[in-house]
Each structure stands twice: as C-alpha cells, then as structure tokens.
Amino acid sequence: MTRTRRLLVDPIRCDAHGLCAELLPEMVQLDDWGYPIVSDQAVPAHLLGHARRAVAACPTLALLFAEAEVAQPARSRR
Amino acid sequence: MLVAATDPKALWYLTRSFGLVSLILLTVTVGLGVAQLVRYARPGLPRFLIAGLHRNASLLAVATLAVHIVTAVADPFAPIALIDAVIPFIGRYRPLWLGLGALSFDLLIALVVTSLLRQRMGLRAWRMLHWAAYACWPIAVVHGLGTGTDARTGWVQLLYVVCVGLVLAALAWRLSTRWTTAPVGRRLGGAAATAVIVVSVAAWASQGPLRAGWARRAGTPSAQLAPGAPTPGSHR
Ligand code: HEM
Ligand code: SF4
C-alpha cells in the first residue's frame, strides 16, 4: 500500500459553498471569500473517511482526490 | 374511523396516507434543495446538514412511495397493476391521473439514482437532470388531486395549500437570490411560467377534483362506480 491521496480544489468549479471546510476542518480552511485552502499534505489514514465524505458532498464536485505515488518499487498495483 | 388491521379498507387508508406523507417529503426535499443551492446556513444548521437532509428526505420519499404504490396495487378494490406504477398512462383505473403519478415516480427515481452516482456521471449531466425536480413535484401534485379521494377533505386541502405555498416560496427564493447567475429576463420568464402553471392547475382543480362527481369524470371503471358494487374501500 504505497498509494497516498492528496486533496485538490478545482478553482474554476469551486463555488465557495464551504461544505468541505465543515466536513473536513482538519485539512480545509476557508479564506475571507469563502474559498477553500486545502492542505497539500497527504490525507492521513484516519481522515480518509471524512475526506471521502467531503469529496462526495461538494455541490459542484470541485473537491478532488489526487492520487500520488510514493516512491517505492512499483509492485502489483491491483 | 378506526383503522383496524382487519379492516378491508386498511390498504386503501395506507395508500392515501402514504401518498400524503410522500407529498410532504417531496415538498421538504425541494425546499432543502433550494436552500442548499442558495447556500442557506445558520449556526447550528451547517450546509452539510442541509445537504444531508436534502438527500435523506428524497430517499425517504422513495420508501414512502414504495408503500403508497404497493398498497394501492394490493388493494383489491381498484384494478391497478404494478406495471401501471412504472409505465405511465397504460392502466384502466383513472389512466391519465394515475399515469401522472407513474411519471412523477419515474422522474424521482431518475433524480435519486443520478444523484447517488453524481461523482461518476459528471457535474453537467447531473445538473441538467436535476432540473427534472421542477417537473417531478408539480406532476405529483396534479396526480394527487386527480386520483385522490381526499381532494375534497378540508385538512387535506389545507395540506396541499401549505405544500404549494412552500414550494412557491422556495421558487421565489431561488429566483431572487444573488447566487443565481441567470440573466434577469430568464428569471422573469421562470416566474411567469410558474404563475401560468399555478393558475391553470388551480382553475382545473376548482372545476375538476374539487367538484362532486369527479370519480366518474376521472375515468374510474364503471364497475367501481355502480351503486352497491362490492366496495372494500368505496372510492367516492
Ligand atoms: C440522493 C438524492 C439527491 C442528492 C444527493 C441531491 C443533491 C443535490 C445537490 C448537491 C443540490 C445543490 C446544487 C448546488 O448547490 O449547486 C441539489 C439541488 C436541488 N435538488 Fe437535489 N438531490 C437529490 C435528490 C433530489 C430530489 C428527489 C429532488 C426533488 C424531487 C431534488 C430537488 C432539488 C432541487 C429543487 C434543487 C435546487 C436545484 C436548482 O434550483 O438548480 N433533489 N440537489
Ligand atoms: S465544498 Fe466544493 S464548492 Fe464548496 S468550497 Fe469546498 S470545494 Fe468549493
């Protein structure tokens, strides 16, 4: 298991609904206009469930997972 | 009137009451959908809660409609087949008004399924389909008035008035919000179209289901109308 996931916001789609910051305050803060500032760290395992909920709840589907491979010999990826 | 489990009319009571409960849930769903769109939030009522309630109210409406449909089909009085609830306008019992119910139910299922698969279907397609909500709800109301036995009961009329009022208020809210990007002309068009629909439905209702003798005119098979016909759940 060497896949880590980060979160990304598509700034064109994002409408500043702010649901993501309500559901995942650990990783998302809102700026003064209500647009999200998302942590660029990998989503820690214990927050993955919350992150998934935030991604699913975004009304404009602007919050996305970005899969990042962590350097390690590429073994069978499913 | 007591609804005992053994009462042959029990199924019919269930059909009617679950129809009304579904109307309330659909009304709430539409209201919450608009609340979500206009970004309503209060301390203690965050947006994710409104989003979740919107979703769950719609899922609950599917469940109550399942009861509404199954009991209507099971009721031996009215000749309604399960397929009449899915394919509109083919039934024998008040085909037009029952068909509108089927149409509305189909739209509801489409709305719910596409919303649950939203992440996979992409935003644009989902958005387009979600407009069907504004067809689903009024069609359900006309179905309720046209098929319902209760359109002439006082408190049921009050319920209809409250539900229609709530959805109209939601529409006004939506059309006036600063979050809408639609040009003023289109918004006025939306308001005008809504007014025309409301006036026509009100005019139809006052001439149709709100008058005596609607059952015959609505297309109830004559077997169910004949005086003294076997009537477990005698529809007026
Ligand atoms: C699983 C079920 C559903 C989900 C997840 C869902 C999700 C959503 C979301 C995320 C929005 C907000 C869009 C935005 O803020 O830009 C919305 C709006 C709305 N929804 Fe739903 N929805 C569901 C079912 C339904 C059903 C069954 C109805 C009505 C019968 C409905 C009626 C509405 C309405 C009227 C709006 C406002 C749309 C507009 O004016 O553009 N929804 N819904
Ligand atoms: S929930 Fe979506 S639209 Fe709202 S602020 Fe977060 S990313 Fe933007």
Side-chain angles (χ1 to χ4, degrees), chain A residues 8-10 13-21 28 30 34-36 38 54 57-64, chain B residues 39:
Chain A
L8 277 183
V9 171
D10 176 341
R13 276 196 175 173
C14 174
D15 258 355
H17 270 86
L19 262 86
C20 49
V28 184
L30 297 183
Y35 282 92
V38 177
C58 172
T60 58
L61 298 179
L63 188 66
L64 305 165
Chain B
R39 291 139 166 83

Short mmCIF file of all heavy atoms in Angstrom, two decimals, chain A residues 8-10 13-21 28 30 34-36 38 54 57-64, chain B residues 39, ligand 2:
data_model
loop_
_atom_site.label_atom_id
_atom_site.label_comp_id
_atom_site.label_asym_id
_atom_site.label_seq_id
_atom_site.Cartn_x
_atom_site.Cartn_y
_atom_site.Cartn_z
N LEU A 8 -7.33 18.18 -3.80
CA LEU A 8 -7.14 19.30 -4.71
C LEU A 8 -8.48 20.00 -4.86
O LEU A 8 -9.52 19.37 -4.82
CB LEU A 8 -6.79 18.78 -6.11
CG LEU A 8 -5.37 18.41 -6.46
CD1 LEU A 8 -5.36 18.00 -7.92
CD2 LEU A 8 -4.47 19.60 -6.23
N VAL A 9 -8.43 21.31 -5.08
CA VAL A 9 -9.66 22.01 -5.43
C VAL A 9 -9.53 22.50 -6.86
O VAL A 9 -8.51 23.07 -7.23
CB VAL A 9 -9.92 23.19 -4.49
CG1 VAL A 9 -11.09 24.03 -5.01
CG2 VAL A 9 -10.24 22.71 -3.10
N ASP A 10 -10.56 22.24 -7.63
CA ASP A 10 -10.61 22.80 -8.98
C ASP A 10 -11.15 24.23 -8.82
O ASP A 10 -12.35 24.41 -8.56
CB ASP A 10 -11.55 21.94 -9.83
CG ASP A 10 -11.74 22.49 -11.24
OD1 ASP A 10 -11.44 23.69 -11.44
OD2 ASP A 10 -12.17 21.73 -12.11
N ARG A 13 -14.32 25.32 -10.85
CA ARG A 13 -15.60 24.77 -10.46
C ARG A 13 -16.06 25.24 -9.09
O ARG A 13 -17.25 25.34 -8.83
CB ARG A 13 -15.50 23.25 -10.41
CG ARG A 13 -15.70 22.61 -11.74
CD ARG A 13 -15.97 21.16 -11.52
NE ARG A 13 -16.28 20.52 -12.78
CZ ARG A 13 -16.44 19.23 -12.91
NH1 ARG A 13 -16.29 18.44 -11.87
NH2 ARG A 13 -16.75 18.71 -14.07
N CYS A 14 -15.11 25.47 -8.21
CA CYS A 14 -15.47 25.74 -6.82
C CYS A 14 -16.32 27.00 -6.73
O CYS A 14 -16.00 28.03 -7.29
CB CYS A 14 -14.22 25.89 -5.98
SG CYS A 14 -14.60 26.38 -4.29
N ASP A 15 -17.42 26.87 -6.02
CA ASP A 15 -18.38 27.96 -5.87
C ASP A 15 -18.38 28.53 -4.47
O ASP A 15 -19.31 29.24 -4.09
CB ASP A 15 -19.78 27.42 -6.12
CG ASP A 15 -20.29 27.76 -7.49
OD1 ASP A 15 -19.59 28.49 -8.21
OD2 ASP A 15 -21.39 27.30 -7.82
N ALA A 16 -17.39 28.14 -3.69
CA ALA A 16 -17.32 28.60 -2.31
C ALA A 16 -18.55 28.23 -1.50
O ALA A 16 -19.11 29.05 -0.78
CB ALA A 16 -17.06 30.11 -2.24
N HIS A 17 -18.99 27.01 -1.62
CA HIS A 17 -20.08 26.54 -0.78
C HIS A 17 -19.62 26.29 0.65
O HIS A 17 -20.40 26.35 1.58
CB HIS A 17 -20.64 25.21 -1.30
CG HIS A 17 -21.74 25.35 -2.27
ND1 HIS A 17 -21.53 25.51 -3.60
CD2 HIS A 17 -23.08 25.34 -2.11
CE1 HIS A 17 -22.70 25.59 -4.22
NE2 HIS A 17 -23.65 25.49 -3.34
N GLY A 18 -18.36 25.90 0.77
CA GLY A 18 -17.79 25.70 2.10
C GLY A 18 -18.17 24.41 2.80
O GLY A 18 -17.85 24.23 3.97
N LEU A 19 -18.86 23.52 2.12
CA LEU A 19 -19.17 22.25 2.78
C LEU A 19 -17.91 21.50 3.16
O LEU A 19 -17.85 20.83 4.19
CB LEU A 19 -19.98 21.35 1.85
CG LEU A 19 -21.48 21.33 2.04
CD1 LEU A 19 -22.09 22.45 1.27
CD2 LEU A 19 -22.05 20.01 1.58
N CYS A 20 -16.91 21.62 2.30
CA CYS A 20 -15.69 20.84 2.54
C CYS A 20 -15.04 21.26 3.86
O CYS A 20 -14.57 20.42 4.61
CB CYS A 20 -14.72 21.00 1.37
SG CYS A 20 -14.45 22.71 0.88
N ALA A 21 -15.06 22.57 4.15
CA ALA A 21 -14.45 23.02 5.38
C ALA A 21 -15.26 22.59 6.60
O ALA A 21 -14.72 22.39 7.69
CB ALA A 21 -14.31 24.54 5.37
N VAL A 28 -9.09 21.58 5.57
CA VAL A 28 -9.59 22.63 4.71
C VAL A 28 -9.93 23.86 5.54
O VAL A 28 -10.67 23.78 6.52
CB VAL A 28 -10.87 22.19 3.95
CG1 VAL A 28 -11.31 23.28 3.00
CG2 VAL A 28 -10.63 20.89 3.21
N LEU A 30 -11.18 28.06 5.09
CA LEU A 30 -11.77 28.96 4.11
C LEU A 30 -11.06 30.31 4.17
O LEU A 30 -10.73 30.79 5.25
CB LEU A 30 -13.26 29.16 4.39
CG LEU A 30 -14.12 27.90 4.28
CD1 LEU A 30 -15.58 28.24 4.52
CD2 LEU A 30 -13.96 27.23 2.92
N GLY A 34 -14.56 32.80 1.40
CA GLY A 34 -15.23 31.52 1.50
C GLY A 34 -14.65 30.45 0.60
O GLY A 34 -15.20 29.35 0.50
N TYR A 35 -13.55 30.78 -0.06
CA TYR A 35 -12.92 29.74 -0.91
C TYR A 35 -11.98 28.89 -0.08
O TYR A 35 -11.32 29.38 0.84
CB TYR A 35 -12.19 30.39 -2.08
CG TYR A 35 -13.14 30.81 -3.16
CD1 TYR A 35 -13.67 32.09 -3.16
CD2 TYR A 35 -13.54 29.91 -4.13
CE1 TYR A 35 -14.59 32.47 -4.14
CE2 TYR A 35 -14.46 30.28 -5.11
CZ TYR A 35 -14.97 31.56 -5.11
OH TYR A 35 -15.88 31.91 -6.05
N PRO A 36 -11.93 27.61 -0.40
CA PRO A 36 -11.16 26.71 0.45
C PRO A 36 -9.65 26.79 0.19
O PRO A 36 -9.21 26.97 -0.93
CB PRO A 36 -11.70 25.34 0.05
CG PRO A 36 -12.18 25.51 -1.34
CD PRO A 36 -12.64 26.92 -1.48
N VAL A 38 -6.75 24.25 0.84
CA VAL A 38 -6.65 22.84 1.19
C VAL A 38 -5.20 22.50 1.51
O VAL A 38 -4.28 22.89 0.78
CB VAL A 38 -7.16 21.97 0.02
CG1 VAL A 38 -7.00 20.51 0.33
CG2 VAL A 38 -8.63 22.28 -0.23
N ALA A 54 -16.35 14.51 2.26
CA ALA A 54 -16.27 15.90 1.80
C ALA A 54 -16.26 15.94 0.27
O ALA A 54 -16.93 16.77 -0.35
CB ALA A 54 -15.02 16.56 2.37
N ALA A 57 -19.68 15.33 -1.03
CA ALA A 57 -20.69 16.34 -0.68
C ALA A 57 -20.53 17.63 -1.47
O ALA A 57 -21.48 18.40 -1.56
CB ALA A 57 -20.63 16.64 0.81
N CYS A 58 -19.38 17.89 -2.01
CA CYS A 58 -19.17 19.17 -2.71
C CYS A 58 -20.22 19.34 -3.80
O CYS A 58 -20.31 18.52 -4.71
CB CYS A 58 -17.77 19.22 -3.31
SG CYS A 58 -17.57 20.67 -4.37
N PRO A 59 -21.03 20.39 -3.72
CA PRO A 59 -22.13 20.55 -4.68
C PRO A 59 -21.66 20.66 -6.12
O PRO A 59 -22.40 20.31 -7.03
CB PRO A 59 -22.81 21.84 -4.24
CG PRO A 59 -22.40 22.04 -2.83
CD PRO A 59 -21.03 21.45 -2.71
N THR A 60 -20.47 21.18 -6.33
CA THR A 60 -20.01 21.35 -7.70
C THR A 60 -18.94 20.33 -8.07
O THR A 60 -18.29 20.47 -9.11
CB THR A 60 -19.44 22.76 -7.91
OG1 THR A 60 -18.37 22.93 -6.98
CG2 THR A 60 -20.49 23.81 -7.64
N LEU A 61 -18.75 19.35 -7.23
CA LEU A 61 -17.72 18.33 -7.48
C LEU A 61 -16.36 18.97 -7.76
O LEU A 61 -15.64 18.55 -8.66
CB LEU A 61 -18.12 17.41 -8.64
CG LEU A 61 -19.41 16.59 -8.45
CD1 LEU A 61 -19.68 15.75 -9.68
CD2 LEU A 61 -19.34 15.70 -7.22
N ALA A 62 -16.04 20.00 -7.00
CA ALA A 62 -14.78 20.72 -7.22
C ALA A 62 -13.66 20.18 -6.34
O ALA A 62 -12.48 20.47 -6.58
CB ALA A 62 -14.96 22.21 -6.95
N LEU A 63 -14.01 19.46 -5.32
CA LEU A 63 -13.00 18.90 -4.42
C LEU A 63 -12.66 17.51 -4.92
O LEU A 63 -13.55 16.68 -5.10
CB LEU A 63 -13.56 18.85 -2.99
CG LEU A 63 -12.58 18.46 -1.90
CD1 LEU A 63 -11.51 19.52 -1.74
CD2 LEU A 63 -13.31 18.25 -0.59
N LEU A 64 -11.37 17.30 -5.16
CA LEU A 64 -10.98 16.06 -5.81
C LEU A 64 -9.84 15.39 -5.07
O LEU A 64 -9.05 16.04 -4.39
CB LEU A 64 -10.51 16.34 -7.25
CG LEU A 64 -11.50 17.09 -8.13
CD1 LEU A 64 -10.79 17.63 -9.35
CD2 LEU A 64 -12.64 16.17 -8.51
N ARG B 39 -27.29 28.40 -0.63
CA ARG B 39 -26.29 28.40 0.45
C ARG B 39 -26.83 28.88 1.76
O ARG B 39 -26.18 29.64 2.48
CB ARG B 39 -25.11 29.30 0.09
CG ARG B 39 -24.27 28.75 -1.03
CD ARG B 39 -23.90 29.89 -1.91
NE ARG B 39 -22.84 29.58 -2.83
CZ ARG B 39 -23.03 28.97 -3.96
NH1 ARG B 39 -24.22 28.49 -4.28
NH2 ARG B 39 -22.03 28.80 -4.78
S1 SF4 C 2 -17.48 22.22 -1.00
FE1 SF4 C 2 -16.79 22.34 -3.12
S2 SF4 C 2 -17.64 24.26 -3.90
FE2 SF4 C 2 -17.76 24.32 -1.68
S3 SF4 C 2 -15.92 25.37 -1.03
FE3 SF4 C 2 -15.49 23.18 -0.95
S4 SF4 C 2 -14.63 22.73 -2.95
FE4 SF4 C 2 -15.60 24.73 -3.15
#
